[in-house]
Amino acid sequence: MKRRWTLWIAYALLAAALAALPFLVEQNLGRTWVRTLDFALLYIMLALGLNIVVGYAGLLDLGYIAFYAVGAYAYALLASPHFGIHGPFWALLPLGAMLAALFGALLGAPTLRLRGDYLAIVTLGFGEIVRIFLNNLNAPVNITNGPQGVNLVDPIRLGNWSWGRSQSWLGVEFSSAQLYYYVFLALALLIILASLRLENSRIGRAWEAIREDEVAAAAMGINTRNIKLLAFAMGASFGGVSGGLFASFQGFVSPESFGLMESITVLCMVVLGGMGHIPGVILGALLLTLMPEVLRHTIVPLQKTLFGQVVVDAEAARMLLFGLALIWAMQWRPAGLWPSPTRRRELARRQQPEAGP
Amino acid sequence: MDIFIQQLVNGVVLGSIYALVALGYTLVYGILGLINFAHGELVMVGALVALSVVRTLSPLLPGLPGWVLALLGTAVAAGVCALLAILIERVAYRPLRHAPRLAPLITAIGVSIALQNLAMVIWGRQYHSVPPLLPAASHQFAGAAITEVQILIVALAALLMAGLIGLVHRTRLGRAMRACAENIQVAELMGVNVNAIVVAAFVIGAVLAAVAGVMVSANYGLAHYHMGFLLGLKAFTAAVLGGIGNVGGAMLGGLLLGIMESLGAGYLEDLSGGFLGSHYQDVLAFFVLILVLVSRPSGLLGERVGQRA
Amino acid sequence: MKIANRWGLALAMVIFAGLTGCGKKEEPPAPAPAAQPEVTVKIGHAAPLTGPQAHLGKDNENGVRLAIDELNAQGLEIGGAKVKFELLSEDDQADPKTGTLVAQKLIDAKVSGVIGHLNSGTTIPASKLYNDAGIPQISPSATNVTYTQQGFNTAFRVMAHDGQQGKVLGEFAVAKLGAKKIAIIDDRTAYGQGLADEFEKAVKGAGASVAAREFTNDKATDFMAILTKIKGKRPDLVFYGGMDAQAGPLAKQLKSLGIKAKLLMGDGGSTPEFVKLAGDGAEGAYSSLPGVPLAQMPGGQAFGDKFTAKYGQIQLYAPYCYDAVYVMVEAMKKANSTEPAKYLPELAKIAYKGVTADISFDDKGDIKGGAITLYQVKNGKWEVLETIGGAAPESAPAPAAADGAAKTQ
């Protein structure tokens, strides 16, 4: 009884902290950091989506950003002057998620037999195909507006309340970045909750079984085809939601936001944090979104004093440190920074006799 | 018809470039099962080191013929790349040999980012034009134009592939490599010095990368710190297409990918009735890749169906 | 050994951090104490400083920096206080998302104005943030038409947009170069595709036919396949919409395939880098560059010399960045204030003689008149052919071969 009490207090404190965070950040660090925080939340959603495919089902996906792109474009095309359609966000976000899920199943279907690195290269190709189509479908019929991108995408709007500009409520002034923070936070929590539920469900256990031994899983009566497709579709739908949010937040989408490097970045978040472990994945997403920005803020000011006689170029140094940090982190914690307890135990056991792949 | 032959020649040249790079990928992958994402960056380092050597030497030794300079540049580049590869293997990959499969993939990406930015610090951000050291005269061949550099590239790719096949199947080192590829633990138990074999694979791969870098920069006349990434990716695709881990497969995959891109750019528009133009050449290439892998899940010449999850 | 490796890496990182940090100790000499009050005015700049376009981004930054150093040396007085300008330069990685992050960072730092961004893809999403914050933004190089058509009164550019440049290029190709069958290639970036589409419209309007429309990408080096296809169509002119790093090898491969068609490019190809990369394929190629040749503008040659002495060769947009800073400061002087809200109206009606052109803006924020100069490679150097449109200074387009009217090399 007492433990439950402390648990609730902890939750309440956490909720209060999360609610107050954008204000504390804006006051002490500036609005840039609220924006960074927004992107961090967006990447948490993306990373959790990819975590379903890579972490739970063990399917290496290098084209995950395609689903993000599908969600973003679905929202942008249906809520912008491009087609003159201005759909409401509460209809477009689920639509984007469903469309992305459809694409996920579409990708999954032909790749069911593939494993490991062969799957990686096919998913990579799929991601590129989606990007190339988005980039080129401005002729003969202009659908995506090609490389020019879709501009003036509607912000999230409810009645007269628009997330695109500052609003005051109960005498408190909320900036656009802060308003989006709460939407992103709500959806991120929803996705975390969904991930948690999935992890402990029949489906979650089936994914785990496939990850560990596909042949054995099939022998146990798991319909590996459907379960794999479900993993792709589920993961993709999370990507679709975050894509729609991205489009409304940025107000502009163009194909260059959905390149291969983005897919790789999200994969790095999942693996670095700890595949299959939700807190780990969240940590990975937070770290990899915040670190380049922290480095930007710490290295650049130092360079300011240099002018002219730059010893090591700050921008290069920032990315160089980022690369080295990736290497170092994986050596320090090969299973990720915060791996799931079961994974860690397995790894410790595997270390000894029959190692590696 | 002339146009078709020219497209075929274009494809073979491009394919040979992919093959040159893919050989390095496939060698390391065959033994460790590791996608060495940084291999493309080694190609870039090779090209830039060779360029620096040529730039420093050419005023010092004015009488030297171009190909000697190029050879010297390649030699130094090969040395630097080999050292770099040993360092990378030692620092970034070896500690992770028994880690979960995706861990080394992340370090490989880290190495790739670090190398790129290091190269940016050393060689600057601009594109470097590469002096025409190798003979670049254009020849007509059955109605198609091909330059001497391009002939050299095709010949080198074929030669290096043959050499590698010989190495893998005819020598003691090759046998040890095959043993490691089969099962690294068993090989170790059988007395194979696994670490030495892995280092050897990395060094050979690095030398191949240096050669590829010099040839690529000579063919296109430019070198840049960012040139390795996309090339590496294409080469990796080629290696997978052919069956990664298989030396002949890398060559076959490279050639196929090159020809596909070339013919795709040339004929996709006519084939699709003007709907899909040359901007969909990569779509075609990836589409064929998917088709091939769906019918042969381990590539054209790949034998093992990886049980890696 | 494992441990040693880890420590080695950690050590390397520490050393690196140290290297980047050690500048702190060698602070530049503090400016001499002034009797007057001194205010520091921050000018923001954003461009990709890492990644494939970093060479252009750095060039932009240098252009801005040169202008700011000069202005500081002049010891300007605005609003009764001595003004010291400070450059805040950010790396937007040519990524729209990072573009908005650095835009917010500049806004947080309370910059008085922003020069940038380099790419249309980052300029457009960032322009919304600048507009919300009321901060004037002058892009030196974003040519996408929509940038100034969003109804933002803070968005300006000192570079002709795709519509203006594509039209001039198209008319030049048909009327002056006598092209009848034209092949068009673009690199599928916002810039290349935008320019190529406008060019296509213009040549079709002028009565020429488009024999082939081909595509590549902004990271490609091999163009043999599309060029071979173009060869089969026998065009008399090939237009490339894209940057020099691709245009160079493209020109080279054009030659090696024995295609005799003329090569025409926009500003992206109009660089000394193109000549170097194209080798013997560069000779005879045409390109355009918005504005008037440096040598024909007062102060142009001096700018070129100063820049080259300090930072080396001009890559591409540095002169426009340099002008953008001066235009912004000119507006501050006119308004006698460095407050964005106060000098913004002055900026909208500015008339300033820059090193690239006489700069004034129309009601959208686009550069007025939009003189565009055409160049051709002769003997391995870009030479001025003629200046079209705008209020070209002096009289006739000098045939320029002699007096080093070639762009600063």
Side-chain angles (χ1 to χ4, degrees), chain A residues 81 87 101 118 130 144 165 168 194 205 217 220 227 247 291 306 310 352:
Chain A
Y118 293 97
V130 169
T144 63
R165 53 172 192 270
S168 57
R205 283 192 295 275
M220 297 307 284
I227 286 294
M291 194 168 76
L306 283 170
V310 180
Q352 292 133 17

Side-chain angles (χ1 to χ4, degrees), chain B residues 10 125 127 220 225 269 278, chain C residues 49 51 214 222 228-229 273:
Chain B
N10 296 342
R125 295 173 161 86
Y127 283 77
Y220 298 118
Y225 75 91
E269 192 178 351
S278 49
Chain C
L49 301 175
E214 296 300 329
D222 194 300
T228 302
K229 191 174 164 201
E273 210 68 22

Side-chain angles (χ1 to χ4, degrees), chain B residues 123-198:
Chain B
W123 284 284
R125 295 173 161 86
Q126 72 275 30
Y127 283 77
H128 298 275
S129 63
V130 174
L133 292 175
L134 298 169
S138 193
H139 292 281
Q140 290 292 315
F141 159 76
I146 184 166
T147 64
E148 284 165 5
V149 180
Q150 292 172 331
I151 297 174
L152 189 62
I153 286 175
V154 177
L156 257 182
L159 209 69
L160 287 173
M161 179 203 64
L164 265 189
I165 291 181
L167 177 88
V168 170
H169 291 279
R170 297 279 161 81
T171 63
R172 258 185 89 81
L173 177 65
R175 198 182 319 154
M177 281 179 169
R178 277 182 291 146
C180 289
E182 212 56 55
N183 188 326
I184 216 161
Q185 277 77 39
V186 175
E188 197 158 17
L189 291 176
M190 296 314 230
V192 175
N193 183 346
V194 170
N195 281 339
I197 299 301
V198 170

Side-chain angles (χ1 to χ4, degrees), chain A:
Chain A
M1 216 41 204
K2 208 180 163 202
R3 289 190 72 183
R4 181 165 290 177
W5 262 107
T6 44
L7 201 65
W8 278 114
I9 290 170
Y11 277 138
L13 282 176
L14 186 67
L18 284 175
L21 194 61
F23 286 94
L24 294 174
V25 166
E26 177 150 343
Q27 227 120 71
N28 296 312
L29 296 167
R31 196 170 289 171
T32 327
W33 286 100
V34 181
R35 230 184 145 74
T36 312
L37 217 54
D38 289 353
F39 279 116
L41 284 170
L42 214 52
Y43 277 103
I44 287 177
M45 295 183 230
L46 277 174
L48 284 172
L50 184 62
N51 181 45
I52 290 186
V53 185
V54 179
Y56 291 172
L59 304 162
L60 181 51
D61 186 346
L62 280 181
Y64 182 68
I65 218 68
F67 309 125
Y68 185 50
V70 167
Y73 265 89
Y75 187 95
L77 293 179
L78 297 177
S80 73
H82 181 58
F83 286 139
I85 305 171
H86 295 278
F89 82 95
W90 46 264
L92 291 182
L93 284 183
L95 183 77
M98 266 152 58
L99 208 63
L102 188 74
F103 268 78
L106 213 66
L107 162 70
T111 56
L112 289 170
R113 287 176 63 200
L114 300 177
R115 282 158 200 242
D117 303 314
Y118 293 97
L119 182 63
I121 200 78
V122 168
T123 49
L124 184 153
F126 178 81
E128 283 295 285
I129 287 175
V130 169
R131 190 186 59 81
I132 291 170
F133 270 100
L134 291 176
N135 202 27
N136 293 326
L137 278 180
N138 60 321
V141 191
N142 187 359
I143 301 172
T144 63
N145 208 24
Q148 311 291 335
V150 182
N151 197 12
L152 299 176
V153 179
D154 298 345
I156 291 181
R157 217 179 263 138
L158 258 186
N160 283 331
W161 184 279
S162 164
W163 267 254
R165 53 172 192 270
S166 297
Q167 304 273 2
S168 57
W169 187 58
L170 299 179
V172 186
E173 177 88 2
F174 291 86
S175 68
S176 168
Q178 286 171 331
L179 289 170
Y180 270 103
Y181 169 86
Y182 292 110
V183 179
F184 287 10
L185 183 67
L187 280 160
L189 287 175
L190 203 69
I191 282 178
I192 292 172
L193 203 67
S195 292
L196 277 172
R197 301 292 297 168
L198 280 171
E199 193 176 13
N200 297 318
S201 68
R202 273 176 72 95
I203 298 169
R205 283 192 295 275
W207 282 333
E208 204 178 327
I210 287 182
R211 179 184 75 203
E212 295 306 324
D213 191 332
E214 195 177 333
V215 181
M220 297 307 284
I222 291 171
N223 183 338
T224 56
R225 188 192 61 195
N226 289 358
I227 286 294
K228 271 186 178 181
L229 283 181
L230 195 62
F232 274 116
M234 242 7 223
S237 69
F238 292 3
V241 171
S242 22
L245 293 173
F246 173 74
S248 76
F249 182 47
Q250 283 283 78
F252 174 79
V253 292
S254 66
E256 59 205 324
S257 293
F258 310 106
L260 176 63
M261 260 336 267
E262 285 291 296
S263 282
I264 291 178
T265 308
V266 180
L267 183 69
C268 285
M269 291 170 180
V270 174
V271 179
L272 188 78
M275 285 198 316
H277 190 224
I278 294 166
V281 172
I282 294 173
L283 178 72
L286 277 176
L287 266 183
L288 288 198
T289 336
L290 298 183
M291 194 168 76
E293 296 311 311
V294 171
L295 286 175
R296 180 198 297 281
H297 283 252
T298 48
I299 293 181
V300 172
L302 294 176
Q303 178 230 23
K304 292 291 175 249
T305 51
L306 283 170
F307 269 153
Q309 44 190 351
V310 180
V311 182
V312 174
D313 195 304
E315 299 306 330
R318 179 166 69 94
M319 291 312 285
L320 195 53
L321 283 175
F322 183 70
L324 291 178
L326 276 185
I327 305 171
W328 177 71
M330 285 328 282
Q331 298 200 352
W332 181 46
R333 292 270 175 126
L337 296 175
W338 193 353
S340 69
T342 37
R343 267 311 250 195
R344 204 166 356 172
R345 253 178 284 132
E346 280 168 25
L347 194 75
R349 208 169 47 229
R350 227 184 277 172
Q351 281 280 2
Q352 292 133 17
E354 174 241 5

Side-chain angles (χ1 to χ4, degrees), chain C residues 192-362:
Chain C
Q193 183 251 341
L195 187 62
D197 277 8
E198 296 294 339
F199 176 79
E200 183 171 356
K201 260 190 245 163
V203 292
K204 279 181 175 159
S209 71
V210 174
R213 182 77 205 256
E214 296 300 329
F215 311 92
T216 178
N217 65 67
D218 61 341
K219 293 173 192 73
T221 44
D222 194 300
F223 310 94
M224 293 297 277
I226 53 173
L227 291 179
T228 302
K229 191 174 164 201
I230 284 173
K231 189 184 183 185
K233 302 269 162 74
R234 300 181 191 286
D236 40 27
L237 184 129
V238 175
F239 176 80
Y240 180 66
M243 301 308 295
D244 53 356
Q246 283 70 44
L250 187 135
K252 198 177 211 172
Q253 290 163 34
L254 208 60
K255 181 162 166 98
S256 84
L257 278 172
I259 298 173
K260 296 283 189 294
K262 298 179 181 103
L263 176 64
L264 176 65
M265 299 166 295
D267 51 310
S270 190
T271 70
E273 210 68 22
F274 164 79
V275 181
K276 268 198 264 166
L277 293 176
D280 55 356
E283 203 57 29
Y286 299 88
S287 75
S288 69
L289 203 54
V292 177
L294 280 183
Q296 291 178 20
M297 291 305 286
Q301 195 68 52
F303 161 76
D305 294 344
K306 261 184 287 181
F307 188 93
T308 318
K310 211 161 175 186
Y311 304 111
Q313 194 180 58
I314 295 175
Q315 296 282 343
L316 187 50
Y317 299 119
Y320 302 90
C321 294
Y322 180 82
D323 270 357
V325 176
Y326 269 96
V327 165
M328 192 174 268
V329 172
E330 185 71 17
M332 291 177 183
K333 280 198 256 176
K334 283 237 163 78
N336 204 26
S337 167
T338 56
E339 290 274 310
K342 291 200 181 123
Y343 82 83
L344 183 61
E346 291 297 332
L347 186 57
K349 55 185 190 214
I350 201 92
Y352 177 76
K353 235 176 170 33
V355 298
T356 59
D358 291 341
I359 295 167
S360 56
F361 299 111
D362 65 13

